[in-house]
Amino acid sequence: MELKRVVVTGLGALTPIGNDVQTTWESAIAGKSGAGPITHFDASKFKTQFACEVKDFNGADHIDRKKLRQLDLYAQYALVATRQAVEDSGILNAPNLDKNRIGVIVAAGIGGLHTFEEEAGFYAVHGAEQGPKYNPFFIPKMIADIASGHVSMEYEFHGPNYGVVSACASSNNAIIDAFNLIRLGKADAFVTGGAEAAIYPAGVGGFNSMHALSTRNDSPQTASRPFSASRDGFVIGEGSAILILEELEHAKARGAKIYAEIVGGGMSADAYHITATHPDGLGAKLAMQAALDDAGLKAEDIDYINMHGTSTPVGDVSEIKAIIDLFGDHAYKMNLSSTKSMTGHLLGATAALEALFSIKAVEEDIIPPTINHDEDDRDENIDYNLNFTFNKAQKRTVRTALSNSFGFGGHNATVIVKKYEE
C-alpha cells in the first residue's frame, strides 16, 4: 500500500507571547518572554508566584455566552485557536467538501483542571451541610477529550474524533495519530494539536510540591533558562496551538497554501521513572530514531531540533545526551533551541506549539532562540560546542526540522517536518 503524503495547510495559536500565529512567531523570533506574575488566582502564598499566561483574553469576546457556560478555559483556548487555523486553511471553502472525512484530535495533558478544582472545592466547603450540588456541566467541562468534541460539533466534522493524553507529549501524539490516519487513507484532513489551562492553585501547588517549577519570583522573565547552570525548574504556561493536516492531493485540488510537509513521527517509552527522564536519554533517542526511520531520513538530514528543553536540571542534560549519541558529529552542525525559554511549558499543548515553531522555521528559514543564557552561567555537564541558538534568532536554510516532546510517565514523541516539494 502506497502511503499518502500529508501537508500542513492551516495554523492557529493562542499563547503566552501572542494571541495569533503571526504575533506569537514574531515574539519568538524577537526573543520575548511571556512570563509574569500570576493573575488567575492569588499566588502570594505559593512557592512559585509567576507563570506564562495568555494575555488579554476574554472568552465572551469569541464564544456565545450560553455556550461559554459549557466550556472550561482550556476548551475555550482550543476553539479560538481552531477557528484561526480553519480560517487560515480555507478548507471550508473547498468544493464538494466531505466533512465525513475530516477528523479532530485535540490533546490535553490535564484538561479542565479549573473546573474540577471549583466543583470539588465547593463540595469540600459546603457538602456536609448542603449535600452534593454539582454543576450539570461539571463532567463534560472537565474531561480531557472534550475540546475535540466541541471542535467537531462546531464544524460538523464527522471523521475520527478523540483526545490524546500522554502528559507533555500529548499533542505530538495527537499530530502523529492524525498524520498516520491521513496517510493510511482513513481521512482527508484533521484538526489537530493541543490545549491546556492549568495555571490554578492545584496546578501550581501540585508542581511546586514535586519541586518541578522555578521559584525565581524576583525575575519571572528570566526564570526559564534551559541549558544554564542556574536553571531551577520549568515555568508553567497555557494556551493552544492547532494545525490543519491535509492529504496532499486534497490540498492541491483546492489550491491550498502549504506551509510544510509532515514526514515522520516516532514514539517510545523510557520505562524508567514516573516523572524523571532516563538519565542517558534512552527513550528520547529511541523516539528520534523511530521518527527518522519513519521519514526515511538520515541523521545528517536534520537542520534544526526544537528541543523539549524544559529548564530542569535532569531533563535538559538527558536530552542533550540523546542528541549527541544519535546524531554524532552532525549534532554540532545543527541548530538547537528551546522555545520554552519564552513560552514556558504549556504541558499538553506544548508539543503542538513547538511543532508550529518548527513549521515556521522551515517556512521562513530562521531559528527561534533559546533566551536567558549567560556565558558565565554554564553547566559542566553540558557541551556548549552545540549550537543552542542562544539569545538571538539565527538565519539558515532549514529544509528539515525535528521537534521533541517528553512527558511524565516516560512518554516520548517526536515529529519531523520538511519543506514541501513537488
Side-chain angles (χ1 to χ4, degrees):
M1 176 182 177
E2 184 177 352
L3 296 176
K4 298 179 183 296
R5 293 172 68 182
V6 182
V7 292
V8 181
T9 58
L11 300 173
L14 187 62
T15 78
I17 58 173
N19 288 10
D20 55 56
V21 172
Q22 189 61 28
T23 306
T24 295
W25 178 240
E26 289 174 357
S27 295
I29 293 304
K32 180 180 178 181
S33 171
I38 291 171
T39 65
H40 288 335
F41 70 96
D42 180 3
S44 59
K45 294 182 179 179
F46 284 70
K47 292 179 182 177
T48 296
Q49 298 163 12
F50 61 94
C52 284
E53 296 179 337
V54 171
K55 319 295 191 298
D56 303 318
F57 178 82
N58 182 352
D61 294 336
H62 305 275
I63 301 166
D64 176 78
R65 288 186 179 275
K66 184 177 179 181
K67 185 177 181 66
L68 200 62
R69 294 174 53 235
Q70 304 174 27
L71 300 171
D72 184 87
L73 185 60
Y74 101 94
Q76 296 175 38
Y77 288 163
L79 274 176
V80 172
T82 296
R83 288 176 183 174
Q84 294 177 18
V86 169
E87 181 178 349
D88 182 44
S89 73
I91 195 168
L92 296 180
N93 299 321
N96 304 314
L97 182 66
D98 186 354
K99 290 188 175 183
N100 294 337
R101 290 185 56 80
I102 300 180
V104 182
I105 310 174
V106 177
I110 297 175
L113 183 64
H114 185 219
T115 296
F116 180 84
E117 193 172 74
E118 281 189 324
E119 295 293 324
F122 182 87
Y123 179 76
V125 173
H126 304 289
E129 58 185 60
Q130 296 186 18
K133 290 188 177 181
Y134 287 94
N135 187 316
F137 293 121
F138 169 36
I139 298 300
K141 284 177 70 174
M142 176 197 71
I143 52 181
D145 69 308
I146 203 64
S148 277
H150 281 294
V151 169
S152 68
M153 287 183 277
E154 174 147 326
Y155 296 100
E156 297 182 334
F157 292 154
H158 294 285
N161 176 264
Y162 56 95
V164 175
V165 178
S166 51
C168 304
S170 296
S171 47
N172 256 2
N173 282 124
I175 292 168
I176 292 168
D177 280 6
F179 166 61
N180 283 328
L181 286 166
I182 294 171
R183 67 177 177 166
L184 288 170
K186 304 297 185 183
D188 294 329
F190 265 94
V191 177
T192 190
E196 204 79 271
I199 305 174
Y200 290 101
V204 176
F207 282 118
N208 267 156
S209 71
M210 55 190 296
H211 307 290
L213 296 182
S214 171
T215 57
R216 195 181 286 267
N217 294 311
D218 59 339
S219 183
Q221 293 191 332
T222 66
S224 185
R225 44 180 57 217
F227 322 124
S228 294
S230 61
R231 66 193 184 280
D232 66 333
F234 71 83
V235 177
I236 189 170
E238 63 175 1
S240 178
I242 298 292
L243 317 178
I244 306 299
L245 302 192
E246 196 168 347
E247 191 272 322
L248 174 60
E249 296 305 321
H250 189 273
K252 287 168 65 176
R254 66 182 186 84
K257 173 182 177 178
I258 295 174
Y259 284 96
E261 183 173 2
I262 307 290
V263 293
M267 299 171 282
S268 73
D270 278 353
Y272 172 73
H273 190 273
I274 57 172
T275 56
T277 56
H278 191 285
D280 295 324
L282 174 63
K285 179 183 176 183
L286 289 172
M288 289 187 287
Q289 183 65 68
L292 288 169
D293 293 344
D294 191 40
L297 296 174
K298 298 177 181 179
E300 54 266 31
D301 293 322
I302 303 299
D303 300 306
Y304 167 53
I305 296 180
N306 188 300
M307 294 178 63
H308 186 58
T310 57
S311 189
T312 57
V314 175
D316 288 5
V317 172
S318 65
E319 185 176 7
I320 290 166
K321 286 182 179 179
I323 289 170
I324 293 174
D325 193 20
L326 177 60
F327 288 89
D329 290 343
H330 185 66
Y332 299 89
K333 300 174 183 177
M334 301 184 291
N335 275 75
L336 315 172
S337 73
S338 170
T339 46
K340 288 185 182 73
S341 59
M342 297 171 284
T343 67
H345 192 346
L346 277 63
L347 309 178
T350 204
L353 179 55
E354 289 157 14
L356 186 153
F357 285 144
S358 299
I359 290 162
K360 293 296 289 182
V362 163
E363 181 194 21
E364 299 193 6
D365 289 322
I366 188 167
I367 309 293
T370 305
I371 66 168
N372 297 327
H373 183 71
D374 186 328
E375 289 192 1
D376 294 330
D377 186 19
R378 295 202 156 184
D379 183 340
E380 62 181 11
N381 298 303
I382 291 177
D383 184 349
Y384 292 100
N385 291 309
L386 296 165
N387 184 358
F388 292 107
T389 322
F390 281 133
N391 299 323
K392 187 177 180 180
Q394 293 180 15
K395 292 285 291 182
R396 69 168 289 171
T397 299
V398 187
R399 292 182 53 81
T400 310
L402 179 152
S403 182
N404 280 332
S405 283
F406 315 131
F408 287 174
H411 313 302
N412 307 302
T414 296
V415 168
I416 298 179
V417 301
K418 188 177 180 182
K419 279 190 189 299
Y420 167 66
E421 297 175 339
E422 287 283 350

